[in-house]
Amino acid sequence: MKSNEYSDSFYNKQKCSGGSRTPSEITCVVIHSTEGTTAIGGAHTLTTRTDASTELVLDDSVTYRIVPELTVPCGVRDVNSWTLHIEQAGLASWSEKTWRVRVKTIQRAAYWTAFWMKKFDIPAHFLTVSEIDAGKRRGYTSHNNLSLSKVSSSTHTDPGPNYPWALFRNLLAFYRLGFRLKLVKGPRRVA
């Protein structure tokens, strides 16, 4: 599967959602880790729990859509009305070297982040904890930053302190440029 390809095997099967929203309400992409090693395991978990859900779960070989974009997910407590969520198969405790071995997972996350930035007019700005606390909502961030902020009561630390943000940013820039120049194809559903 290519970065732009996805499966709808788990689509709209979530047990947790918070109603609908408009495209203009979506202003931020949140990067997570599943605390497991496969997308299928994460997708199964997020379609059976009544307290968690996300738009996408992905790994090196597959991307599963779960929650429709205009449905409010249960991704991070208190902030779901304005956020989209990408769960990457991986552990918050991984070293940077271990994450880098999963470069295709990071590549998929960067592709979908760039796609959503284009679709929802979200800037390629990494939101820090202090910016979130100051009321900034437009860009992308980690679950950890939202947990550390005043806007969420979450306690999760994913994708972890060793996540290779520089690699993610470079891939994000590549895909954003590709979308601007129409060299990168939009998402495509596969069986």
Side-chain angles (χ1 to χ4, degrees):
M1 244 186 200
K2 297 176 184 174
S3 294
N4 70 318
E5 296 176 335
Y6 63 89
S7 168
D8 275 344
S9 301
F10 296 93
Y11 188 61
N12 213 10
K13 295 181 180 175
Q14 72 277 359
K15 303 278 188 268
C16 183
S17 65
S20 62
R21 58 187 168 181
T22 64
S24 64
E25 292 176 280
I26 297 169
T27 62
C28 182
V29 179
V30 182
I31 305 299
H32 300 261
S33 59
T34 62
E35 300 311 299
T37 57
T38 65
I40 197 161
H44 181 266
T45 298
L46 291 169
T47 55
T48 58
R49 290 183 56 175
T50 58
D51 63 340
S53 64
T54 186
E55 282 80 14
L56 297 176
V57 179
L58 49 85
D59 63 19
D60 276 2
S61 60
V62 66
T63 298
Y64 293 109
R65 284 194 323 158
I66 297 177
V67 178
E69 294 162 345
L70 297 181
T71 298
V72 177
C74 301
V76 177
R77 261 186 252 143
D78 313 311
V79 301
N80 293 310
S81 63
W82 49 276
T83 54
L84 293 164
H85 302 267
I86 298 174
E87 287 277 358
Q88 300 168 101
L91 305 175
S93 63
W94 278 357
S95 67
E96 183 173 345
K97 182 179 178 182
T98 302
W99 271 113
R100 285 180 174 275
V101 169
R102 302 287 189 109
V103 67
K104 288 183 180 178
T105 298
I106 298 166
Q107 185 177 357
R108 286 172 180 280
Y111 168 86
W112 284 96
T113 302
F115 172 74
W116 282 338
M117 286 177 168
K118 180 178 190 275
K119 183 174 182 177
F120 297 105
D121 194 29
I122 299 170
H125 175 74
F126 184 76
L127 293 168
T128 65
V129 174
S130 60
E131 289 174 325
I132 295 166
D133 284 345
K136 294 190 178 176
R137 301 288 182 265
R138 295 182 47 73
Y140 69 98
T141 196
S142 66
H143 191 163
N144 182 60
N145 279 5
L146 289 166
S147 293
L148 293 172
S149 76
K150 297 174 186 172
V151 302
S152 175
S153 58
S154 178
T155 59
H156 293 211
T157 60
D158 56 295
N162 300 314
Y163 185 77
W165 285 108
L167 173 61
F168 178 88
R169 277 190 293 276
N170 288 336
L171 290 166
L172 179 61
F174 169 80
Y175 283 116
R176 286 180 41 112
L177 179 61
F179 280 122
R180 252 192 320 273
L181 298 176
K182 299 184 180 178
L183 300 173
V184 174
K185 296 178 180 177
R188 184 174 79 88
R189 186 172 61 84
V190 295

